[in-house]
Amino acid sequence: MVNRTEVDLAGARYFPSFLDRTQQVELVQLLRDIVRAAPLTHYRTAGAKKMSVAMTSAGKFGWLSDDKGYRYADTHPSGVAWPDIPSPLSEIWKELAPNARLPDSCLINFYGPEAKMGLHKDDTEQDFDQPVVSVSLGDEGLFRIGGQVRGGKTQSIWLRSGDVVVLTGASRLSYHGVDRIKAGSSSLLEKPGRINVTLRVAK
Ligand code: MD3
Ligand code: FE
């Protein structure tokens, strides 16, 4: 079931079940093609720990972490260009953020059953007036969102396959993270796990 319900999530625009099953299956196929060309990588955090989430990107720029820090790079660590952003994702962006610039980066996160992402804010981009659009696929993830300062109140919500969130306004710079994955809660992927895709204007 699709729907166009919009819910306020700590200032972010939350669209539960935005994508139907057919759209989700198509996206997973397109993401598999991207991963084949630009393999998933466990980057190291600034604290040098390996991230449990495996990542790759599409678009003109890809987010990564290396000796030069957190940054948007022109190529995958292997040296190949990032694949193009799949058009169904660009269409979601145009529908939900019609007045924004077009995304030049698409970060693809793969969470295995044990993966999580600590509280952080997305601040590697140049223009925080541009939104971030997030699409969740596969198993449910317990998402946590706080305010713009660390240590404040947070709220938690399970993001499910097909859910879309638009981070805009004050929420664009809110702390957020993923505490855990409910392995086996979705039948979309062949193996347990969760995929989150974020569309961004990096530069
Ligand atoms: C931010 N990804 O890649 S995106 C990231 O599910 C990242 O993989 C998470 O944070 C993931 O940088 C979350 C979804 C999201 C939803 C609501 C938000 C991010 C948000 C509200 C405010 C700020
Ligand atoms: Fe983030």
Side-chain angles (χ1 to χ4, degrees):
M1 274 260 290
V2 255
N3 76 64
R4 288 294 179 266
T5 307
E6 175 173 347
V7 180
D8 177 273
L9 173 63
R13 302 172 63 201
Y14 171 44
F15 298 87
S17 303
F18 188 82
L19 300 177
D20 68 23
R21 179 78 175 199
T22 305
Q23 292 172 302
Q24 295 173 40
V25 168
E26 181 193 19
L27 272 180
V28 170
Q29 193 56 56
L30 293 165
L31 295 174
R32 287 196 188 295
D33 296 340
I34 291 172
V35 167
R36 208 170 302 118
L40 291 165
T41 306
H42 291 271
Y43 297 116
R44 283 180 195 283
T45 63
K49 283 186 190 296
K50 252 200 183 147
M51 293 182 184
S52 56
V53 178
M55 301 177 171
T56 190
S57 288
K60 185 163 172 46
F61 306 109
W63 187 92
L64 53 71
S65 170
D66 64 9
D67 328 334
K68 297 188 220 168
Y70 297 150
R71 63 194 182 93
Y72 282 97
D74 294 334
T75 58
H76 184 269
S78 68
V80 300
W82 303 106
D84 290 338
I85 298 176
S87 50
L89 288 172
S90 305
E91 293 305 316
I92 295 168
W93 176 279
K94 287 184 227 165
E95 179 174 350
L96 295 181
N99 300 320
R101 288 172 50 201
L102 291 176
D104 56 14
S105 183
C106 171
L107 176 62
I108 298 152
N109 294 333
F110 181 78
Y111 295 75
E114 305 299 326
K116 48 195 187 321
M117 187 179 288
L119 277 184
H120 67 279
K121 51 171 85 181
D122 293 7
D123 59 5
T124 315
E125 301 76 27
Q126 280 174 357
D127 182 358
F128 302 138
D129 289 334
Q130 300 302 319
V132 171
V133 172
S134 150
V135 178
S136 292
L137 296 165
D139 285 339
E140 297 172 20
L142 185 58
F143 179 78
R144 185 199 291 261
I145 178 166
Q148 280 155 279
V149 291
R150 202 180 267 285
K153 266 181 46 178
T154 63
Q155 61 170 291
S156 292
I157 173 184
W158 286 98
L159 287 180
R160 300 190 170 82
S161 198
D163 290 356
V164 174
V165 185
V166 181
L167 318 167
T168 187
S171 72
R172 173 66 183 76
L173 286 171
S174 290
Y175 276 93
H176 59 277
V178 176
D179 290 335
R180 62 191 169 92
I181 302 304
K182 199 185 281 181
S185 53
S186 162
S187 61
L188 184 69
L189 309 176
E190 283 162 22
K191 291 193 287 181
R194 170 174 183 265
I195 298 171
N196 179 267
V197 175
T198 43
L199 295 163
R200 297 138 183 265
V201 179
K203 305 186 181 185

